[in-house]
Structure formats: C-alpha cells, structure tokens
Amino acid sequence: MTVTEEESGPEGADDKGAPSAAGAGPDDGYVPSQRRLERERHRRTRARRATAIAALSTLVTAVALYLVVVGAPGWPRTKETFFNGQYAREAFPKVLEGLWLNVRLLLICGAAVLVLGMLIAVARTLRGPVFFPLRVLAAAYTDFFRGLPLIINLMIVVLGVPALRLQGVTVDPVLLGGTALTLTYSAYVAEVFRAGIESVHPSQRAAARSLGLSNRQALRYVVLPQAVRRQVPPLLNDLVSLQKDTGLVSIGGAIDAVRAADIIVGRSLNYTPYIVAGLVFVALTIPMTRFTDWVTARMDRQRAQGGTT
C-alpha cells in the first residue's frame, strides 16, 4: 500500500531524517518532494523580496539625507571648511604615514597592557594574609588610574617627566606617551581579568587541587584559561579604545596621524585634514569592532549550546 504525501503526517515530516536537496548527490536515489521544493522556492522568493526592499529603503534614506544636508543653510561654507578636496588629497598621504606610529603603539602597548593587567589581576586575587599588602597595592593602582583622566595622565608623563631632567630617563614623547597609555589601560584590563578569574566557580580550583595540582598550577592550567576565554569580548573592546587613544600622544609633539593633520590645519586654517584623520581611524577601528561583535556572538552561541562554560 502506497502512502501519499497527505497521509505522511504534518508539514515537514517528509523531510525528517532525509538529506537536504542541496546536499543530495546524483547517485543516492533521493528525490525531494514537491512540497519541499515549493517551500524552498517560497523562501528564496521571500529572501529576494526582503533584499530588494532593504536596498530600496537604504537608497531612499541616503537620497533624503543627502538632500537635507546639501540643502541646509551654510552647507557651502561647511563643505569648503571641512570637506575640501584639495586639502584632503594633501593630508591623506601624510596622515597615513603618521598612522604607522599609531599602529606600532597599539601593538606594543596592547601587549604590555595585557601582561601588566594580568599580573595586577592575579595579585588582587591572591589568597592568604601574607599577600594582603600586594592586594592593597594592586587595588590602589587600579582605583587610581581608572579614576585619573587619560589626558591628565598623558600630560603628567609626556610633559612633566622631561621637566624633571632626570639622568637616564628618556624624553621621547612616543615612549612616554606609550608608558602613559599602558599605565591607564592596564588598570582597566586588570579589572576585566579579575572579573574573569572570580567568575570561575570555586569547584574548578577544588577539583584541580584534588588531582594533586598546587595552587599555582591550578591557577595557571585551570582558572586562567577559563577566565581569559570568558573575557575575550571586553578585552577586544579595550583594545579598540586603545587604538583610538593612541592619537593622544600627539600632545607631546609626536608626529602621528593626528599631529600630521594638525600641522596642515595650522598652516592652512582648513579643518579637512582632521576629517581625513578621523576617517582613517574609523576605517581602522571598524574591522576590529566587527571582529569583536563576531567573537561575542560566537561565544554566546557556544554558551547557549553548552560548549563553553
């Protein structure tokens, strides 16, 4: 007796346990049902319609914004002051040349921040009365540099340290600016690491101790790997912020992307180079931000499926 599609059960029952139409090979004997073909055709139609509607609405919004901006009073003056093509072409290669300094600062300071932040976080989580002074110092460090504005820290280190005229102490604004960035961001990253360490359930440490691991080994092999994995998204966010703040080293005279734009602005009294520098930083930051979002979404999916604790 042949069972028809109507007798096979509710919609979708005929697909249960069968390979997908897209993945079916020519020799496996599988033939998708008419109902399944219609559903897939309907989904493709809906996807095309949604894409067309999204593209049309985006185009209409862009045209409306363009007309509003161009038709606003004072637009010609604004265009000449902030969007001058001549000064943009002049500033772009010099801003790119200065950006290399910002990238180097990000790489070096980022590595230093991660190491110093981890050490401070571990110091704050050490147990036992003998480590009390170390915990107090670590807490004082994080409280002070998280409360101190970064611009003030930079001024003290970049402008104040050379005024001391100490023998053997560098006066290079790049090194001093990188030191100030490291001091400030280490405090923020230390708190991120500490939150990750404290989020690991005590039973993990107890299980490691029961297997014969020492406290140091339990921290290194059991606690820290879980803590770091959980805190990857906020750590990436801090690195994105660090990338933007590397431009502040220009207050000491370092020729980075911001300072290169500032030199042209001071000579021409046209602010287009600032727009160019800002767009370059945005172009550098957006991929890092999207990567952070992707990592966050991926970890959320793994956590929902029980793949990550």
Side-chain angles (χ1 to χ4, degrees):
M1 178 177 181
T2 304
V3 181
T4 62
E5 285 185 7
E6 289 75 16
E7 297 171 343
S8 61
E11 181 179 353
D14 57 340
D15 300 330
K16 188 174 181 181
S20 63
D27 300 327
D28 59 3
Y30 172 74
V31 178
S33 66
Q34 185 64 29
R35 182 184 301 175
R36 178 166 188 168
L37 293 175
E38 291 176 358
R39 284 202 307 270
E40 292 180 352
R41 190 180 305 112
H42 177 67
R43 281 197 293 265
R44 289 194 296 268
T45 302
R46 285 203 315 176
R48 287 194 295 266
R49 183 167 60 248
T51 302
I53 293 174
L56 180 60
S57 62
T58 302
L59 178 61
V60 171
T61 302
V63 171
L65 289 175
Y66 174 79
L67 294 177
V68 169
V69 171
V70 173
W75 166 246
R77 181 65 176 172
T78 302
K79 179 181 179 182
E80 177 64 25
T81 304
F82 291 100
F83 303 100
N84 188 291
Q86 175 186 349
Y87 290 111
R89 289 189 294 271
E90 178 184 354
F92 185 70
K94 297 179 180 179
V95 167
L96 281 184
E97 182 179 353
L99 185 67
W100 174 233
L101 174 60
N102 299 102
V103 173
R104 284 181 292 168
L105 279 172
L106 172 65
L107 297 176
I108 297 174
C109 293
V113 162
L114 291 175
V115 173
L116 183 57
M118 175 64 76
L119 294 176
I120 296 170
V122 171
R124 289 203 64 181
T125 56
L126 290 176
R127 301 179 178 182
V130 69
F131 296 114
F132 177 76
L134 193 59
R135 291 197 299 268
V136 171
L137 290 175
Y141 179 93
T142 56
D143 290 344
F144 178 78
F145 282 105
R146 289 176 72 200
L148 183 69
L150 175 59
I151 188 67
I152 294 180
N153 186 16
L154 281 163
M155 288 180 176
I156 292 174
V157 176
V158 176
L159 303 179
V161 170
L164 298 175
R165 298 181 180 178
L166 298 176
Q167 186 176 3
V169 177
T170 182
V171 296
D172 187 345
V174 176
L175 295 177
L176 293 175
T179 301
L181 290 172
T182 301
L183 290 173
T184 295
Y185 272 90
S186 294
Y188 289 99
V189 170
E191 287 300 282
V192 173
F193 279 132
R194 185 173 72 92
I197 292 172
E198 294 182 348
S199 69
V200 178
H201 198 274
S203 63
Q204 298 287 316
R205 192 187 296 264
R209 296 286 290 137
S210 69
L211 293 175
L213 274 67
S214 64
N215 282 324
R216 185 179 65 179
Q217 290 173 329
L219 179 66
R220 177 181 177 184
Y221 295 111
V222 178
V223 177
L224 288 182
Q226 296 184 60
V228 172
R229 185 171 62 247
R230 294 177 180 184
Q231 299 304 101
V232 166
L235 287 174
L236 290 175
N237 282 327
D238 285 334
L239 290 180
V240 170
S241 298
L242 176 62
Q243 166 59 42
K244 295 182 295 183
D245 287 340
T246 55
L248 295 176
V249 299
S250 61
I251 65 174
I255 308 298
D256 69 328
V258 177
R259 183 60 178 167
D262 189 56
I263 293 174
I264 301 176
V265 170
R267 173 171 47 82
S268 64
L269 297 180
N270 187 281
Y271 297 95
T272 302
Y274 285 152
I275 301 298
V276 173
L279 292 177
V280 167
F281 272 100
V282 169
L284 187 62
T285 302
I286 285 179
M288 298 174 63
T289 305
R290 296 286 77 81
F291 177 70
T292 301
D293 294 340
W294 177 80
V295 170
T296 303
R298 182 173 179 269
M299 295 187 67
D300 288 342
R301 289 194 301 269
Q302 290 180 342
R303 190 175 296 112
Q305 296 170 0
T308 303
T309 57

